[in-house]
Amino acid sequence: MAAKQLSLEEAKAHWAKTSTLMWTAMAIWFFLSFVVHIFARELNAITILGFPLGFWFVAQGSITGYVILCFWSSSAQNAIDREFGVEEE
């Protein structure tokens, strides 16, 4: 089946939504990669299961956040593609 050809207005609207999703994902990635780690020392005052919270965020929380971010952004992009009729089969 041939891919749907979008009009110029539809293509711009599709890119606007895709771009917004991309920048949102990048902001979340930046937060998980840099902002949380800036406060690691302050978070170490709190312990969970014997481990300092800062350690947990750096070692486990960021990785978990990245995996969730990947699935969320993929799902959101698929929804955008479905909305414009350009989804993959």
Side-chain angles (χ1 to χ4, degrees):
M1 177 180 228
K4 178 183 174 184
Q5 199 64 14
L6 296 178
S7 69
L8 183 59
E9 295 81 24
E10 289 175 322
K12 285 182 179 181
H14 181 269
W15 175 244
K17 286 191 173 194
T18 298
S19 179
T20 299
L21 173 63
M22 176 188 65
W23 287 111
T24 302
M26 290 295 288
I28 294 169
W29 169 83
F30 181 84
F31 179 80
L32 291 173
S33 297
F34 297 105
V35 176
V36 170
H37 302 298
I38 291 172
F39 300 104
R41 288 191 178 154
E42 290 81 6
L43 292 171
N44 281 338
I46 303 168
T47 59
I48 296 178
L49 300 174
F51 294 100
L53 186 60
F55 168 80
W56 189 88
F57 273 139
V58 172
Q60 303 297 325
S62 293
I63 295 170
T64 303
Y66 298 143
V67 171
I68 292 169
L69 179 62
C70 287
F71 282 103
W72 170 76
S73 63
S74 175
S75 173
Q77 184 62 53
N78 286 339
I80 291 170
D81 290 346
R82 265 193 310 277
E83 177 183 341
F84 288 91
V86 293
E87 73 275 5
E88 296 179 356
E89 295 180 9

